[in-house]
């Protein structure tokens, strides 16, 4: 079974600060990796995903993530956060092969102070 | 991208009643859908996998007689919370893998907030 751990539960940053949210996964096979964002009062939105190829993945709104296979990590980064990035961020994984259930990390609440 | 809808978005019911939540894939067919539950300030917990034309697969610890799942068509799955109690109050979210990228990406519905009084 797969599992996902997010080390930061609550992060507070000032606007323009750089962001890095940690994510590690555990699974014996090949995986797909995702970052989802949930803005206050809204539903989950896909930020970015990694299936294969270039381990540096760029997503929407200036976010990127890097898959490091040797570390089983998929950390999310943004060079300069904005107040509008205040949200909860979930790292997720599923097994490669299509139509597989997704396992979520516990989430990181990001609060950006103007 | 693919769109998944849920209905209702919010429901309040009395303890002991049953509540049905619908999950629809609007612009694609979904032979498989997933149902999650999100507790306040917590992550999403997978409840079950809904399979069109066959029985749902429940995760360990989820009562299948309490959370009835029916996947009657390629675009609709329903979750019925039977004899709801206050501890069933939660945010229920469904997802469906889209055929793009061979079903590797899932699209999530907006969620249904259930409050049992």
């Amino acid at each position: 079974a797969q599992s996902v751990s997010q080390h930061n539960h609550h992060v507070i940053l000032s606007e323009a600060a750089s962001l890095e949210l940690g994510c590690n996964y555990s699974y014996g096979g090949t995986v797909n990796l995702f970052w989802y964002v949930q803005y206050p009062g809204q539903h989950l939105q896909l930020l970015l995903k990694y299936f294969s190829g270039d381990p540096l993945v760029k997503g929407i709104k200036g976010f990127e993530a890097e898959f490091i296979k040797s570390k089983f990590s998929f950390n999310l980064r943004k060079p300069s956060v904005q107040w509008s990035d205040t949200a909860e961020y979930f790292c997720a994984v599923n097994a490669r092969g299509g139509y597989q259930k997704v396992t979520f990390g516990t989430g990181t609440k990001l609060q950006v102070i103007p | 991208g693919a769109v998944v809808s849920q209905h209702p978005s919010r429901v309040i019911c009395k303890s002991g009643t049953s509540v049905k939540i619908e999950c629809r894939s609007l612009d694609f067919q979904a032979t498989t859908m997933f149902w999650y539950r999100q507790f306040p300030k917590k992550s999403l917990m997978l409840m079950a996998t809904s399979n069109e034309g066959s029985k749902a697969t429940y995760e360990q610890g989820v009562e299948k007689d309490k959370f009835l799942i029916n996947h009657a068509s390629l675009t609709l799955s329903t979750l019925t919370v039977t004899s709801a109690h206050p501890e069933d109050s939660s945010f229920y979210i469904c997802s469906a893998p889209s055929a793009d990228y061979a079903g590797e990406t899932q699209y999530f519905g907006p969620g249904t907030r259930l409050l049992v009084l």
Side-chain angles (χ1 to χ4, degrees):
Chain A
Q2 60 251 36
S3 66
V4 181
S5 62
Q6 292 181 243
H7 319 297
N8 317 101
H9 298 293
H10 192 182
V11 173
I12 302 174
L13 294 173
S14 298
E15 273 193 317
S18 64
L19 169 73
E20 180 159 3
L21 301 182
C23 172
N24 287 90
Y25 71 94
S26 172
Y27 182 65
T30 306
V31 297
N32 301 317
L33 295 155
F34 308 87
W35 275 96
Y36 287 90
V37 60
Q38 189 173 32
Y39 296 102
Q42 297 189 28
H43 63 280
L44 281 172
Q45 298 176 39
L46 181 66
L47 265 183
L48 47 79
K49 60 191 176 189
Y50 173 80
F51 293 160
S52 63
D54 189 343
L56 184 61
V57 180
K58 293 191 184 300
I60 61 172
K61 305 186 181 186
F63 287 92
E64 65 178 31
E66 185 175 12
F67 170 51
I68 302 179
K69 189 175 181 180
S70 60
K71 295 184 178 180
F72 297 90
S73 69
F74 191 56
N75 292 355
L76 180 71
R77 299 195 292 251
K78 185 171 184 178
S80 176
V81 295
Q82 301 173 316
W83 176 78
S84 57
D85 293 324
T86 296
E88 187 136 23
Y89 293 81
F90 295 94
C91 182
V93 63
N94 71 355
R96 183 75 56 78
Y99 307 95
Q100 301 296 311
K101 62 185 181 183
V102 176
T103 300
F104 285 85
T106 50
T108 297
K109 185 173 182 179
L110 172 65
Q111 186 177 355
V112 180
I113 301 170
Chain B
V3 178
V4 175
S5 70
Q6 282 184 241
H7 178 78
S9 58
R10 184 185 298 262
V11 57
I12 301 173
C13 69
K14 292 182 179 179
S15 185
T17 61
S18 294
V19 174
K20 181 186 284 189
I21 302 170
E22 293 184 346
C23 176
R24 292 183 186 273
S25 55
L26 296 186
D27 49 0
F28 66 102
Q29 293 183 332
T31 55
T32 301
M33 290 183 175
F34 299 94
W35 286 96
Y36 296 83
R37 182 173 177 177
Q38 186 177 27
F39 294 95
K41 299 182 180 181
K42 298 282 187 180
S43 186
L44 283 77
M45 179 192 78
L46 179 67
M47 297 175 66
T49 303
S50 173
N51 303 298
E52 189 268 336
S54 65
K55 290 183 179 179
T57 305
Y58 290 82
E59 295 299 299
Q60 192 172 8
V62 177
E63 299 176 62
K64 61 181 181 181
D65 294 331
K66 180 165 189 62
F67 298 100
L68 299 179
I69 291 173
N70 183 27
H71 197 142
S73 77
L74 289 173
T75 58
L76 174 65
S77 174
T78 59
L79 168 68
T80 300
V81 183
T82 61
S83 186
H85 287 93
E87 58 265 29
D88 299 323
S89 298
S90 193
F91 194 51
Y92 293 88
I93 304 172
C94 70
S95 73
S98 171
D100 62 341
Y101 297 100
E104 305 284 7
T105 300
Q106 293 196 23
Y107 296 90
F108 285 81
T112 296
R113 189 164 300 283
L114 170 64
L115 177 60
V116 185
L117 302 176

